[in-house]
């Protein structure tokens, strides 16, 4: 090919030139700044106007708007795309910052973490190897060490950021399974392995067992007491039974912050039993990890330092945007079960050269630098500030519990140690029954359809209940009282046969 020919081939055609204008680099910084500022303005406008957490739109009304968009016809113009986004997303999104969003474990987020999001997506580090992240690797390591210190682990601890509590739990159980299988006949032992959790534990334990190739009966759920914490006598019985029946317990999962009840299993007693039986203790502190920075309630996690692995979800109780989670282990050596060397990525010689990487500890390869959000949060606000936000919502939940306990329209289940409140519309004197189940279900749905507030629902002892998960310090007791009035109105209307 002639020199001239090559030059022609290297010159981008018109459409390629236009495409290159969208690449982020030193020549497109104005477009980058303009686009981000426009995006920030749109979100700001929405937040300023949001007088309720949800529009209440039904899926069948929103779906056509999204289906009708021709993805093969780009709008070219960011402003036009943002206009469109108003209709397909921003207008009807569920807004967790709103004080009457009271449903699931979604927190409002802190601005330092949003700043970090903007930085980390633009630089786009991938936290698998040093040559894709450099300082990012060290920052993540530092945060894992910091978290391990807060847990009370020693210098041998280590861990890795993950996509969320489910992945952290999965990895913990993977490590525990591999420890249990070390030196054993894998095929013979795998179907016999058991995991014990309480009936109030998170469903990711069951999912993990399936993913890990354990048998269908692998997860044993022990009952909780009236306080919805793991019944220790029942755990002891199950551990004994497993020993007698030669069913090795690969892990006991204690929950520090159950999803429904915000209760914390009796960690010291669970740890005692695990030590007696030589069982791996995993503490799922996905929700309760906020106590690690609480200025007043850290003692509720006493015993967590005796775990072999701990799940922490910063995106639940550290006010971090999704995703931000970590698995932290007491003994770094167990992370070898997640290691596989590949010549193209993390050759064994990199270990000899002491080049740090995180991929050797992770289930993921390419991985977001989510740790930066926690880093800037700690560097700008500090841990006490985060902990005091969490303390506030725990206080608010206690006040909401008292409000409900004194309200003759409702009955409330157990007192949370964190920030949930599980309750049921059941006016004084009203006999229990399925009609009340339907009224509670209706109240929740009608409230969400009105968009005035969003609350969660769950079943307790076979009956439909309603649930507040309070994670927003901006939610006042007046907000809660108002939502209770709305719920009672919808439920009473349903009971009376009204079409509200
Ligand atoms: C106790 C507990 N563990 C684990 C999880 C799973 O976390 P994620 O949704 O981040 O996967 C949750 C989620 O609510 C949870 O409440």
């Amino acid at each position: 090919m002639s020199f001239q020919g090559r030059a022609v081939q290297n010159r981008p055609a018109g459409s390629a030139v236009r495409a290159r204008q969208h690449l982020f680099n030193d020549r497109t910084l104005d477009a980058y700044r303009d686009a981000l500022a426009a995006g920030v303005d749109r979100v700001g406008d929405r937040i300023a106007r949001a007088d309720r957490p949800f529009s209440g739109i039904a899926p069948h009304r929103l779906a056509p708007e999204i289906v009708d968009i021709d993805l093969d016809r780009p709008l070219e113009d960011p402003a036009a795309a943002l206009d469109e986004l108003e209709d397909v997303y921003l207008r009807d999104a569920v807004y967790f910052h709103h004080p009457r969003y009271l449903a699931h474990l979604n927190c409002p987020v802190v601005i330092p973490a949003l700043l970090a999001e903007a930085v980390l997506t633009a630089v786009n580090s991938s936290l698998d190897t040093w040559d894709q992240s450099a300082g990012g690797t060290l920052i993540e390591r530092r945060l894992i060490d910091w978290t391990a210190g807060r847990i009370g682990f020693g210098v041998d601890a280590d861990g890795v950021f993950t996509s969320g509590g489910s992945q952290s739990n999965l990895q913990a159980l993977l490590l525990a399974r591999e420890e249990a299988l070390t030196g054993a006949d894998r095929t013979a032992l795998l179907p016999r392995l058991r995991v014990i959790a309480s009936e109030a534990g998170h469903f990711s334990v069951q999912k993990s067992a399936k993913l890990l190739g354990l048998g269908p009966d692998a997860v044993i759920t022990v009952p909780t007491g009236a306080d919805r914490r793991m019944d220790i006598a029942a755990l002891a019985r199950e551990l004994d039974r497993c020993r007698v029946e030669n069913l090795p317990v690969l892990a006991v999962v204690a929950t520090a912050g159950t999803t429904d009840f915000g209760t914390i299993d009796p960690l010291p007693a669970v740890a005692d039993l695990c030590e007696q039986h030589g069982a791996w203790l995993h503490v799922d502190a996905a929700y309760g990890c906020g106590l690690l920075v609480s200025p007043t309630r850290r003692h509720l996690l006493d015993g967590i330092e005796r775990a072999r692995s701990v799940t922490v979800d910063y995106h639940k109780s550290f006010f971090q945007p999704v995703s931000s989670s970590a698995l932290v282990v007491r003994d770094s050596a167990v992370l070898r079960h997640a290691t596989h060397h590949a010549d193209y990525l993390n050759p064994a010689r990199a270990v000899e050269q002491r080049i740090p990487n995180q991929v050797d500890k992770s289930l993921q390869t390419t991985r977001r630098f989510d740790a930066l959000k926690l880093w800037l949060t700690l560097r700008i606000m500090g841990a006490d500030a985060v902990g005091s936000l969490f303390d506030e919502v725990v206080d608010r939940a206690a006040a909401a519990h008292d409000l409900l306990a004194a309200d003759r329209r409702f009955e409330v289940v157990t007192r949370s140690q964190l920030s949930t409140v599980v309750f049921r519309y059941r006016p004084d004197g009203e006999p229990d029954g399925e009609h009340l189940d339907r009224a509670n279900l209706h109240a929740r749905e009608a409230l969400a359809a009105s968009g005035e507030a969003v609350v969660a629902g769950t079943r307790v002892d076979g009956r439909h209940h309603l649930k507040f998960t309070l994670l927003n310090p901006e939610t006042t007791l007046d907000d809660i009282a108002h939502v209770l009035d709305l719920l009672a109105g919808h439920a009473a209307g349903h009971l009376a046969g009204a079409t509200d």
Side-chain angles (χ1 to χ4, degrees), residues 113-370:
L114 293 180
L115 170 62
E117 276 285 1
V119 174
L120 73 95
T121 52
V123 180
N124 200 26
S125 299
S126 178
L127 271 271
D128 35 347
T129 54
W130 172 261
D131 68 353
Q132 300 174 76
S133 60
T137 293
L138 301 179
I139 285 175
E140 176 169 312
R141 287 184 161 208
R142 189 70 206 284
L143 287 167
I144 290 288
D145 289 347
W146 176 84
T147 307
R150 290 266 167 175
I151 290 170
F153 282 164
V155 289
D156 292 333
D158 199 357
V160 70
F161 271 63
T162 71
S163 62
S166 304
Q167 191 189 115
S168 297
N169 285 345
L170 170 64
Q171 181 163 356
L173 294 178
L174 167 77
L175 303 178
R177 182 197 72 179
E178 290 306 297
E179 285 289 292
L181 290 175
T182 301
D185 173 347
R186 293 181 73 94
T187 323
L189 190 53
L190 195 63
R192 303 193 65 75
L193 291 177
R194 295 293 183 266
V195 177
I196 305 183
S198 95
E199 60 184 350
H202 192 253
F203 79 150
S204 54
V205 174
Q206 276 81 359
K207 280 198 185 188
S208 300
K210 201 169 183 180
L211 284 164
L212 293 171
L214 305 182
D217 303 325
V219 180
I220 299 170
T221 49
V222 296
T224 53
D227 60 359
R228 309 284 163 180
R229 302 164 77 211
M230 187 186 272
D231 177 337
I232 281 296
L235 173 63
R237 274 195 302 278
E238 284 303 328
L239 283 164
D240 284 340
R241 183 177 69 81
C242 288
R243 189 171 45 199
V244 170
E245 295 180 15
N246 188 24
L247 300 169
V249 175
L250 79 89
V252 172
V253 179
T255 312
T258 55
T259 315
D260 272 346
F261 303 108
T263 47
I264 300 170
D265 288 336
L267 301 178
V270 178
D272 286 347
L273 283 173
C274 286
E275 278 163 22
Q276 280 165 31
H277 287 263
W280 176 299
L281 170 59
H282 173 63
V283 175
D284 177 357
Y287 176 17
C289 62
L291 297 177
L292 292 172
V293 286
S294 160
T296 61
R297 293 182 170 88
R298 169 61 182 83
H299 61 278
L300 293 176
L301 291 179
D302 283 355
I304 195 172
E305 70 288 350
R306 294 168 66 189
R308 294 194 63 184
S309 54
V310 176
T311 288
V312 289
D313 266 10
Y314 310 105
H315 65 207
K316 289 186 176 41
S317 48
F318 274 66
F319 304 92
Q320 298 294 293
V322 178
S323 292
S324 186
S325 174
L327 172 68
V328 187
V329 295
R330 179 150 43 111
D331 175 8
S332 61
V334 298
L335 288 167
R336 73 187 181 285
H337 298 303
T339 308
H340 186 92
H341 292 292
D343 289 339
Y344 48 77
L345 191 68
N346 59 337
R349 74 169 178 283
V351 180
E352 284 149 28
Q353 292 169 333
R354 295 181 164 275
I355 298 171
N357 80 45
Q358 294 295 85
V359 76
D360 288 355
K361 310 170 191 174
S362 176
L363 300 186
Q364 293 170 256
T365 307
T366 304
R367 194 162 51 81
R368 285 168 57 85
F369 183 21
D370 284 315

